[in-house]
Amino acid sequence: MEGEKSPTGTEIELKLQVRSEDLPLLRDSPLLSPPSAGAAGPRTLESVYFDTADLRLRRKNMTLRVRKQGRHYVQTVKSNGRPHGGALHRGEWEAPLASAAPDVAAITAEMNGQLGRLRADELRPVFASHIKRTIRHLGNAAGKDGAAIEVAFDEGEIRTPDGAALPVSEVELELKSGDPAALYDLALALSEIAPLRVESRSKSERGYALVDGAARLPVHAAPIELTPDMTVEDALATIIRQCFDHLVNNERLVLLEQDALALHQMRVALRRMRSALSVFRSLLPPAQYDLFAGEIKWLAGTLAAAREWDVFLGELVSPVRGHFAQDASLAMLEGAARDRRAVAYRAASEAIASARYTTLLLKIGAWLDGKGWRQQPVSERSAMLLSPVVTLADRLLAERRKRALKRGAHFARQTASRRHDLRVALKKLRYATEFFRSLYDRKSVQRYLRHLTELQSGLGHLNDVASATDLVTRLKGEGEAALSSEWGDAAGKVIGWHARDLCEFEPRLRKDWKAFARTEAFWSTPE
């Protein structure tokens, strides 16, 4: 972002995608043009991004940019921090230049330490951005006393030397001083004027994606790193932020390509976030928990149908089709399921592109950066937020393990419904284990997770097969009466195939349960 800045500092900004035709609506809004707002005319920013031939800076999560400002040049080095609740928290180092060529000597000693031995002759242009920018400076923004926000309207494109281009149309909100929650309050108010989307990628990340020209891959959950000296609220913020990143880093693949693995990862992120809220529920204001848990449940439920059809086609129908390749009834069943999958993905895409989804992301971001959980009366319960996280982790893991063992009693004689309840309890225990694993002995946690994951996966397969009957029944009910015999034939083949598989699978599942039940806890248990 532009504006006066110390040579080194931390940048906190929120990027919001907006349709090009809606930019004038936002620029002319009284929210962004109050009498006290400082304004400047539009200017064109020409920025060239440099890296080595092997993209060493990118691998180190750094960018080096030279921007022309009037007749002058400014070199900026950034550490591309990941989004925390929607806003980017990044280190930034600036230095004036005499020409458009980058100056390695101007990079601070701190940055050279991160970049290694970087020579000027190693750097080359990798992409450039050509942006028309209009800036507003807001004081006391969105009713937050003392908050100053710089608003930049950006329109243009990112281009590579070989001619590839990506359009840019967005609003950037950068916190200059004050409460970070002001960024989100302002963004929520702007979303009432025109449709907005939270953009988790910086321009440099988008530029590098354009350079690669490769298909983007689904993003899995990154390890959560907690330390024993963290408080409970530190752990809460770290876990929810990681779940947030996991969610937003997969949404583009779902919207653009209907990628099944990316959609699955979005659902995993939502389940993990909801589980994390459940872990800390007793310490949170009830209204906050209800709001976030309810909205997460809405989104997860909307994505669930697409995931169900993905599993049905990929894991249940596909192996049977492979064995009966010429079977007409199975081909008809598969075609009908693909039609239902397409409908489900349209619903999922509409939810992700909706104002409700954007509002959810912004409210989570405001809650995290504003430590919204502190908005409650001081009590013994709320004071736990400032206690060491290890004590809480021991208790929560013990409680979830006890609940799972109780749900698994008499495992061999359990009905499908009881085993479904056990699977849910095991999933909650697994998420809690993954949240707190960095606080404990690595080998002990790995051993425990191995047994837990094997059992959970087996029960998950049982659940998928059980759901196949429901999905086939749904398809049959939507089909023409004249095709009922073909539906019955196809349904019998799919369900029968996997029913036989489950009979053979049962002894292994019982063995997995016994192995898990015997595995010792890796945390400290109460006396």
Side-chain angles (χ1 to χ4, degrees):
M1 299 290 294
E2 294 303 307
E4 293 300 319
K5 189 185 296 291
S6 60
T8 64
T10 300
E11 178 184 70
I12 304 177
E13 67 178 26
L14 182 61
K15 294 180 181 291
L16 303 164
Q17 288 185 0
V18 59
R19 294 178 304 190
S20 179
E21 59 268 30
D22 288 335
L23 276 175
L25 288 175
L26 298 178
R27 279 197 297 262
D28 297 338
S29 165
L31 281 173
L32 299 183
S33 55
S36 61
R43 53 178 168 162
T44 300
L45 303 177
E46 303 285 339
S47 303
V48 179
Y49 292 77
F50 293 84
D51 207 332
T52 61
D54 60 355
L55 302 182
R56 187 192 315 160
L57 273 67
R58 185 192 188 190
R59 293 203 312 273
K60 293 181 176 291
N61 212 24
M62 310 290 293
T63 60
L64 192 161
R65 178 191 74 199
V66 174
R67 171 172 290 169
K68 185 178 182 182
Q69 298 184 176
R71 291 180 295 178
H72 304 284
Y73 295 90
V74 175
Q75 175 174 280
T76 304
V77 179
K78 292 186 180 184
S79 59
N80 288 321
R82 300 308 306 163
H84 289 173
L88 284 173
H89 296 235
R90 310 192 296 186
E92 180 171 327
W93 295 261
E94 289 189 348
L97 296 180
S99 71
D103 183 1
V104 174
I107 299 174
T108 65
E110 177 184 354
M111 295 308 301
N112 266 319
Q114 294 184 47
L115 297 176
R117 294 183 178 180
L118 182 65
R119 303 190 315 271
D121 60 3
E122 293 181 278
L123 294 173
R124 61 184 181 88
V126 286
F127 57 90
S129 64
H130 305 264
I131 304 295
K132 181 181 178 182
R133 170 170 289 181
T134 303
I135 289 180
R136 302 274 170 78
H137 295 282
L138 305 180
N140 298 325
K144 296 287 184 180
D145 292 341
I149 294 178
E150 181 180 276
V151 182
F153 304 91
D154 284 358
E155 192 169 17
E157 65 178 7
I158 300 169
R159 294 201 298 259
T160 64
D162 62 5
L166 180 70
V168 173
S169 179
E170 64 190 24
V171 179
E172 287 187 6
L173 309 179
E174 182 183 350
L175 185 70
K176 310 304 288 186
S177 64
D179 188 347
L183 291 177
Y184 301 97
D185 290 344
L186 180 57
L188 285 166
L190 293 176
S191 69
E192 297 293 324
I193 300 171
L196 301 174
R197 289 191 56 74
V198 175
E199 174 57 81
S200 61
R201 301 176 303 162
S202 65
K203 290 185 181 67
S204 62
E205 288 177 293
R206 283 173 272 174
Y208 276 117
L210 198 61
V211 169
D212 285 348
R216 190 176 177 187
L217 298 176
V219 177
H220 292 258
I224 292 173
E225 296 297 333
L226 305 180
T227 57
D229 61 336
M230 279 185 170
T231 63
V232 171
E233 75 166 3
D234 291 335
L236 164 65
T238 299
I239 293 168
I240 297 293
R241 279 173 172 157
Q242 196 266 16
C243 295
F244 182 99
D245 292 356
H246 187 197
L247 176 70
V248 299
N249 285 329
N250 283 289
E251 66 179 44
R252 286 178 60 80
L253 268 180
V254 178
L255 287 173
L256 298 178
E257 301 180 25
Q258 294 191 351
D259 187 281
L261 291 178
L263 181 129
H264 175 57
Q265 288 304 314
M266 287 191 73
R267 293 194 69 236
V268 170
L270 290 167
R271 288 201 303 263
R272 285 165 59 88
M273 192 181 297
R274 195 175 178 194
S275 184
L277 289 170
S278 177
V279 162
F280 297 101
R281 181 176 186 174
S282 64
L283 310 179
L284 303 177
Q288 292 180 6
Y289 174 85
D290 291 343
L291 169 66
F292 292 125
E295 288 301 277
I296 290 168
K297 183 179 181 181
W298 155 73
L299 182 58
T302 305
L303 304 185
R307 175 60 183 169
E308 285 178 347
W309 291 114
D310 281 333
V311 171
F312 181 72
L313 285 163
E315 299 181 20
L316 301 177
V317 174
S318 180
V320 184
R321 282 280 285 148
H323 192 77
F324 302 101
Q326 305 303 317
D327 190 288
S329 65
L330 284 172
M332 181 178 62
L333 178 68
E334 183 179 47
R338 290 191 183 282
D339 289 342
R340 293 300 299 158
R341 178 188 184 274
V343 172
Y345 264 91
R346 283 197 294 272
S349 295
E350 288 172 2
I352 297 169
S354 70
R356 185 174 180 178
Y357 175 75
T358 296
T359 298
L360 173 61
L361 297 187
L362 292 173
K363 286 186 175 180
I364 292 174
W367 187 66
L368 288 171
D369 280 344
K371 299 184 187 297
W373 49 83
R374 292 185 176 181
Q375 297 171 7
Q376 58 179 309
V378 176
S379 65
E380 183 177 348
R381 182 191 68 180
S382 63
M384 278 289 294
L385 287 162
L386 302 179
S387 64
V389 66
V390 175
T391 303
L392 179 68
D394 286 345
R395 177 170 62 81
L396 287 170
L397 288 166
E399 289 174 355
R400 295 205 166 192
R401 179 174 185 264
K402 181 179 179 180
R403 193 173 298 125
L405 291 175
K406 183 178 180 181
R407 291 274 203 279
H410 310 296
F411 182 84
R413 302 194 301 273
Q414 281 190 346
T415 62
S417 176
R418 287 286 305 277
R419 286 189 175 181
H420 172 74
D421 292 340
L422 171 60
R423 184 177 69 88
V424 172
L426 290 170
K427 187 178 294 184
K428 291 180 178 180
L429 174 58
R430 177 186 161 194
Y431 288 151
T433 301
E434 291 173 347
F435 293 155
F436 299 119
R437 65 182 299 173
S438 60
L439 300 172
Y440 300 97
D441 175 69
R442 182 175 59 85
K443 290 184 178 179
S444 298
V445 176
Q446 285 178 335
R447 181 171 59 251
Y448 193 84
L449 269 177
R450 183 176 67 253
H451 292 304
L452 173 56
T453 302
E454 287 174 354
L455 177 60
Q456 185 191 334
S457 297
L459 290 171
H461 182 58
L462 285 183
N463 186 71
D464 292 338
V465 174
S467 69
T469 303
D470 176 61
L471 292 176
V472 168
T473 302
R474 257 192 273 170
L475 285 173
K476 182 178 179 180
E478 296 164 1
E480 299 178 18
L483 300 178
S484 58
S485 62
E486 286 84 352
W487 280 118
D489 187 37
K493 286 186 175 70
V494 172
I495 296 170
W497 179 281
H498 292 286
R500 181 195 63 183
D501 181 54
L502 290 184
C503 290
E504 297 175 355
F505 184 60
E506 178 66 19
R508 174 187 160 190
L509 199 57
R510 295 181 185 183
K511 182 180 178 181
D512 287 343
W513 164 253
K514 291 178 181 178
F516 164 73
R518 289 195 302 263
T519 304
E520 293 184 4
F522 56 84
W523 57 87
S524 299
T525 55
E527 296 296 333

